[in-house]
Amino acid sequence: MNWYVIYTKPKWEKKVSDKLNQIGVECYCPLISQIKQWSDRKKKIEVPLFNSYVFVRLQDAERNSVFQVSGAVRYLFWLGKPAIVKDEEIEIIKKSLMDVNVSEIAVTPFQVGDRIKLESGVFSNQDAIVQEVSKTHYILVLESLGCVLKIKYK
């Protein structure tokens, strides 16, 4: 069985996770505690670590069962196939969130000027600088190779 990523309607992560558990689908929605302030009070609430994402673990043949739940929009795809998350990566997320020494966690997309190391593909282990971020692609500068890489996503 593999872990897949479901894209949900905005702010529906916890609802989708609860409903998936009710129909017997193993799922994981990592939550973090935040203090929100309104004009009259402060309150500690739990919010999803990843906006609009829920991880589900099921057989490939059972993938369509998640759409029985309202709020589940589609699977997250990588290179034309549903993105698979390794068991080790899910465990790292779980352990990190249970660590009492961690006071704050934030997930942010790449920003222009960020230095990154490519981890897979033809250019794996290459250092790159993020030159452009848009809704459809990233443009990375690979200084060591003297080229610019455009990565499109769906």
Side-chain angles (χ1 to χ4, degrees), residues 26-65:
E26 183 180 355
C27 63
Y28 177 54
C29 179
L31 302 172
I32 56 173
S33 294
Q34 287 184 345
I35 296 176
K36 292 284 185 179
Q37 182 169 348
W38 287 267
S39 59
D40 61 338
R41 68 190 183 283
K42 287 184 180 181
K43 187 176 182 181
K44 189 175 185 178
I45 61 171
E46 286 192 327
V47 296
L49 178 61
F50 303 102
N51 291 332
S52 297
Y53 288 172
V54 173
F55 300 98
V56 294
R57 187 170 189 227
L58 34 73
Q59 297 290 339
D60 189 48
E62 299 170 348
R63 278 201 351 248
N64 287 334
S65 65

XYZ file of all heavy atoms in Angstrom, residues 26-65:
339
model
N -7.439 4.674 5.578
C -6.362 5.159 6.441
C -5.868 6.489 5.898
O -5.516 6.591 4.713
C -5.210 4.158 6.483
C -4.094 4.569 7.412
C -2.942 3.579 7.449
O -3.036 2.505 6.816
O -1.935 3.889 8.112
N -5.878 7.505 6.742
C -5.440 8.820 6.277
C -4.696 9.542 7.389
O -4.739 9.149 8.558
C -6.614 9.649 5.780
S -7.830 10.027 7.025
N -3.998 10.602 6.991
C -3.213 11.389 7.934
C -3.263 12.844 7.511
O -2.933 13.190 6.375
C -1.767 10.887 7.959
C -0.850 11.674 8.848
C -1.153 11.890 10.191
C 0.323 12.209 8.348
C -0.292 12.614 11.004
C 1.189 12.927 9.159
C 0.867 13.128 10.485
O 1.715 13.853 11.290
N -3.718 13.675 8.425
C -3.752 15.117 8.213
C -2.906 15.735 9.328
O -3.384 15.903 10.448
C -5.183 15.642 8.259
S -5.292 17.428 8.021
N -1.634 16.055 9.051
C -0.775 16.611 10.100
C -1.292 17.978 10.554
O -1.574 18.844 9.728
C 0.592 16.724 9.437
C 0.384 16.523 7.990
C -0.953 15.915 7.772
N -1.428 18.123 11.874
C -1.945 19.358 12.450
C -0.904 20.008 13.345
O -0.130 19.325 14.005
C -3.201 19.078 13.282
C -4.371 18.421 12.555
C -5.459 18.038 13.547
C -4.923 19.348 11.481
N -0.897 21.341 13.366
C -0.029 22.093 14.266
C -0.888 23.058 15.074
O -1.953 23.483 14.617
C 1.081 22.864 13.506
C 0.484 23.794 12.454
C 2.070 21.917 12.886
C 1.490 24.709 11.786
N -0.435 23.363 16.275
C -1.158 24.306 17.136
C -0.681 25.721 16.852
O 0.520 25.971 16.737
C -0.928 23.981 18.600
O -1.493 22.733 18.906
N -1.644 26.618 16.734
C -1.338 28.033 16.553
C -2.231 28.849 17.470
O -3.341 28.437 17.796
C -1.595 28.486 15.115
C -0.608 28.013 14.114
C -0.884 28.589 12.728
O -1.954 29.115 12.455
N 0.090 28.466 11.851
N -1.734 29.998 17.860
C -2.555 30.917 18.647
C -3.088 31.967 17.683
O -2.325 32.678 17.041
C -1.749 31.564 19.786
C -1.311 30.474 20.759
C -2.580 32.636 20.475
C -0.429 30.961 21.876
N -4.401 32.026 17.585
C -5.063 33.008 16.713
C -5.626 34.115 17.587
O -6.151 33.857 18.679
C -6.203 32.366 15.917
C -5.747 31.369 14.894
C -5.164 32.052 13.694
C -4.831 31.029 12.619
N -4.297 31.613 11.428
N -5.518 35.318 17.094
C -6.023 36.447 17.861
C -7.164 37.116 17.112
O -7.045 37.443 15.938
C -4.913 37.462 18.119
C -5.396 38.623 18.964
C -4.261 39.487 19.454
O -3.106 39.122 19.356
N -4.600 40.633 19.986
N -8.271 37.269 17.813
C -9.392 38.023 17.312
C -9.413 39.351 18.060
O -8.604 39.581 18.964
C -10.691 37.248 17.545
C -10.824 36.077 16.613
C -11.454 36.062 15.412
C -10.324 34.739 16.811
N -11.371 34.813 14.842
C -10.686 33.976 15.684
C -9.600 34.119 17.821
C -10.358 32.648 15.539
C -9.268 32.785 17.677
C -9.646 32.065 16.542
N -10.345 40.197 17.746
C -10.378 41.511 18.386
C -10.649 41.415 19.889
O -10.204 42.255 20.661
C -11.447 42.396 17.734
O -12.726 41.777 17.843
N -11.358 40.367 20.323
C -11.724 40.262 21.737
C -11.038 39.129 22.507
O -11.196 39.023 23.720
C -13.248 40.107 21.865
C -13.768 38.856 21.174
O -13.069 38.342 20.274
O -14.866 38.389 21.529
N -10.282 38.265 21.822
C -9.683 37.134 22.542
C -8.578 36.477 21.726
O -8.438 36.707 20.529
C -10.744 36.093 22.879
C -11.291 35.389 21.650
C -12.503 34.530 21.988
N -12.994 33.808 20.855
C -13.708 34.291 19.859
N -14.005 35.570 19.826
N -14.135 33.522 18.876
N -7.824 35.629 22.405
C -6.840 34.759 21.767
C -7.292 33.334 22.016
O -7.830 33.020 23.075
C -5.455 34.952 22.383
C -4.778 36.232 22.004
C -3.374 36.269 22.599
C -2.662 37.533 22.243
N -1.300 37.577 22.792
N -7.016 32.474 21.031
C -7.413 31.086 21.173
C -6.381 30.199 20.504
O -5.875 30.514 19.419
C -8.784 30.870 20.533
C -9.364 29.495 20.759
C -10.766 29.399 20.179
C -11.345 28.032 20.450
N -12.691 27.901 19.867
N -6.064 29.074 21.138
C -5.147 28.090 20.567
C -5.975 27.126 19.727
O -6.907 26.494 20.228
C -4.415 27.353 21.687
C -3.298 26.474 21.213
C -2.541 25.886 22.401
C -1.344 25.105 21.948
N -0.586 24.565 23.076
N -5.629 27.032 18.441
C -6.366 26.147 17.542
C -5.392 25.251 16.794
O -4.202 25.552 16.699
C -7.226 26.941 16.529
C -6.354 27.826 15.653
C -8.296 27.758 17.231
C -7.094 28.460 14.493
N -5.907 24.148 16.276
C -5.102 23.253 15.456
C -5.431 23.499 13.993
O -6.598 23.479 13.605
C -5.369 21.794 15.823
C -4.755 21.391 17.133
C -4.775 19.891 17.341
O -5.734 19.226 16.880
O -3.838 19.381 17.973
N -4.386 23.729 13.211
C -4.545 23.970 11.774
C -3.679 22.962 11.016
O -2.665 22.493 11.528
C -4.157 25.413 11.386
C -5.088 26.417 12.029
C -2.726 25.720 11.738
N -4.080 22.632 9.784
C -3.278 21.688 8.994
C -1.897 22.247 8.683
O -1.743 23.439 8.416
C -4.096 21.511 7.723
C -5.473 21.935 8.078
C -5.323 22.989 9.120
N -0.906 21.383 8.710
C 0.456 21.771 8.355
C 0.545 22.097 6.869
O 1.218 23.034 6.468
C 1.425 20.631 8.713
C 2.888 20.829 8.370
C 3.468 22.037 9.112
C 3.692 19.581 8.719
N -0.152 21.321 6.044
C -0.159 21.526 4.607
C -1.561 21.953 4.179
O -2.504 21.174 4.309
C 0.211 20.236 3.860
C 1.550 19.678 4.254
C 1.635 18.594 5.107
C 2.719 20.238 3.769
C 2.863 18.071 5.480
C 3.952 19.724 4.124
C 4.026 18.643 4.986
N -1.688 23.150 3.668
C -2.999 23.633 3.229
C -3.535 22.794 2.085
O -2.835 22.542 1.106
C -2.918 25.097 2.791
C -2.666 26.024 3.948
O -3.043 25.741 5.078
N -2.025 27.139 3.685
N -4.783 22.362 2.224
C -5.534 21.618 1.195
C -4.966 20.243 0.872
O -5.279 19.682 -0.168
C -5.655 22.435 -0.095
O -6.382 23.610 0.141
N -4.135 19.658 1.756
C -3.588 18.326 1.518
C -3.968 17.373 2.645
O -3.911 17.727 3.816
C -2.055 18.335 1.457
C -1.436 18.954 0.229
C -0.068 19.150 0.172
C -2.186 19.325 -0.876
C 0.534 19.719 -0.947
C -1.597 19.878 -1.995
C -0.235 20.076 -2.023
O 0.351 20.622 -3.126
N -4.325 16.139 2.255
C -4.528 15.038 3.194
C -3.814 13.833 2.592
O -3.920 13.574 1.388
C -6.028 14.723 3.399
C -6.219 13.469 4.228
C -6.741 15.889 4.061
N -3.081 13.102 3.422
C -2.381 11.901 2.967
C -3.293 10.697 3.195
O -3.891 10.564 4.256
C -1.083 11.710 3.755
C -0.126 12.855 3.616
C -0.063 13.841 4.585
C 0.719 12.955 2.522
C 0.818 14.911 4.472
C 1.603 14.018 2.393
C 1.654 14.991 3.374
N -3.390 9.831 2.192
C -4.189 8.609 2.320
C -3.324 7.412 1.961
O -2.469 7.477 1.086
C -5.452 8.624 1.431
C -6.433 9.685 1.888
C -5.118 8.796 -0.030
N -3.563 6.310 2.688
C -2.806 5.080 2.438
C -3.776 4.008 2.005
O -4.647 3.590 2.792
C -2.075 4.659 3.706
C -1.137 3.500 3.479
C -0.281 3.293 4.696
N 0.750 2.348 4.421
C 1.059 1.333 5.201
N 0.405 1.158 6.340
N 2.010 0.507 4.874
N -3.631 3.577 0.751
C -4.517 2.547 0.232
C -3.907 1.881 -0.989
O -2.894 2.329 -1.510
C -5.903 3.115 -0.095
C -6.060 4.542 -0.629
C -5.614 4.674 -2.039
C -7.476 4.976 -0.471
N -4.559 0.816 -1.421
C -4.120 0.102 -2.619
C -4.404 0.957 -3.846
O -5.360 1.742 -3.859
C -4.856 -1.236 -2.755
C -4.602 -2.222 -1.656
C -3.186 -2.787 -1.705
O -2.524 -2.757 -2.735
N -2.731 -3.294 -0.573
N -3.608 0.776 -4.883
C -3.786 1.537 -6.116
C -5.196 1.344 -6.686
O -5.818 2.291 -7.167
C -2.718 1.121 -7.133
C -2.704 2.024 -8.343
O -2.714 3.262 -8.162
O -2.676 1.495 -9.477
N -5.716 0.141 -6.604
C -7.037 -0.165 -7.156
C -8.165 0.517 -6.374
O -9.273 0.681 -6.897
C -7.258 -1.672 -7.168
N -7.903 0.917 -5.136
C -8.928 1.531 -4.284
C -8.872 3.055 -4.302
O -9.590 3.709 -3.544
C -8.749 1.050 -2.840
C -8.888 -0.434 -2.660
C -8.473 -0.880 -1.270
O -7.864 -0.080 -0.535
O -8.759 -2.028 -0.924
N -8.037 3.632 -5.146
C -7.820 5.086 -5.121
C -9.088 5.907 -5.312
O -9.248 6.960 -4.731
C -6.779 5.482 -6.160
C -5.375 5.301 -5.691
C -4.373 6.120 -6.450
N -4.879 6.780 -7.630
C -4.537 6.464 -8.873
N -3.697 5.491 -9.108
N -5.042 7.115 -9.897
N -10.022 5.426 -6.130
C -11.232 6.203 -6.395
C -12.196 6.253 -5.216
O -13.108 7.078 -5.198
C -11.946 5.693 -7.645
C -11.206 6.076 -8.910
O -10.477 7.074 -8.928
N -11.378 5.293 -9.955
N -12.000 5.400 -4.223
C -12.914 5.380 -3.074
C -12.894 6.690 -2.286
O -13.864 7.010 -1.611
C -12.588 4.205 -2.151
O -11.306 4.370 -1.578
